[in-house]
Amino acid sequence: MIPTNMPMPSDGKQGSIDAALRRRITDGLLAPGEQLPRRTDLEREFSASRVTIQRVFDQLIADGFVRTNGRGGTFVVEHPPHRCRFALVFGVADLDSQRFWSALDHEARMLSSPRRSIVSYADVLDTQEAAAQQGRLLADMRARRLAGVIWTTFPGEAIVEGPLVRNSLVPSVAIMG
């Protein structure tokens, strides 16, 4: 499972190196199974310290984009999150209170595998907890840890016009009556 509580470096050298390597992976310049450049080469390319490159690698590992093979190098994982991880977004907090949402959430979990994972985000629309869930979803979208977002209901004008939908690089679809 990919941790979603780790901060995405966005400023400074570490953030720009992370963004550059992540972009190479998500744009297909580094394909699944392909080895990343050696750390010493990246240190030279980005004029960065060994510690900075290690922190970038640690973040990419934590986000599920790369794996290490000891001294054999660092490789793009076979099923990176930007291709295989989907968000299932519910507007209610208590999925068990509504049979349909509970069944949908259960089936989504049963469909999850290393090749395809579905992560549920409950309570994104209607309570005080919504801001925290929206932040978690937005962080995953910005970090390119999602291949798509499935809204279980119309997300509402505020969300459609906000960063969760309007400025996202992640495709979205809504299931609604």
Side-chain angles (χ1 to χ4, degrees):
M1 183 166 185
I2 300 167
T4 57
N5 59 349
M6 294 191 67
M8 261 294 293
S10 57
D11 296 332
K13 187 170 281 208
Q14 183 179 336
S16 64
I17 297 168
D18 180 284
L21 292 178
R22 195 175 296 253
R23 200 169 25 260
R24 288 178 193 177
I25 295 168
T26 59
D27 290 350
L29 299 173
L30 289 169
E34 188 172 340
Q35 187 171 5
L36 271 68
R38 295 179 324 151
R39 292 166 199 233
T40 54
D41 294 337
L42 292 172
E43 290 168 22
R44 255 191 312 280
E45 177 183 346
F46 293 106
S47 300
S49 70
R50 179 179 304 230
V51 171
T52 299
I53 297 299
Q54 183 59 51
R55 287 182 181 155
V56 169
F57 275 43
D58 290 345
Q59 185 66 50
L60 290 171
I61 291 167
D63 285 347
F65 285 94
V66 301
R67 64 175 174 77
T68 61
N69 188 13
R71 292 184 169 257
T74 302
F75 298 83
V76 177
V77 296
E78 291 298 322
H79 305 289
H82 73 285
R83 290 182 167 191
C84 304
R85 187 170 187 255
F86 298 87
L88 183 60
V89 182
F90 296 94
V92 297
D94 184 12
L95 298 179
D96 293 330
S97 69
Q98 297 183 16
R99 287 175 130 185
F100 179 73
W101 298 139
S102 178
L104 183 61
D105 181 54
H106 175 75
E107 289 303 313
R109 291 174 195 273
M110 297 302 292
L111 287 171
S112 290
S113 71
R115 292 177 178 250
R116 172 191 56 246
S117 65
I118 301 170
V119 180
S120 294
Y121 298 77
D123 194 22
V124 173
L125 305 178
D126 62 1
T127 68
Q128 293 176 352
E129 183 66 23
Q133 291 296 328
Q134 287 176 15
R136 183 175 147 237
L137 178 58
L138 186 58
D140 279 350
M141 293 168 87
R142 286 184 174 155
R144 311 275 308 260
R145 290 186 293 248
L146 294 172
V149 178
I150 304 163
W151 298 88
T152 60
T153 187
F154 180 69
E157 288 301 321
I159 290 185
V160 168
E161 295 300 322
L164 285 175
V165 176
R166 172 67 76 200
N167 301 322
S168 175
L169 298 173
V170 180
S172 293
V173 64
I175 304 168
M176 50 186 145

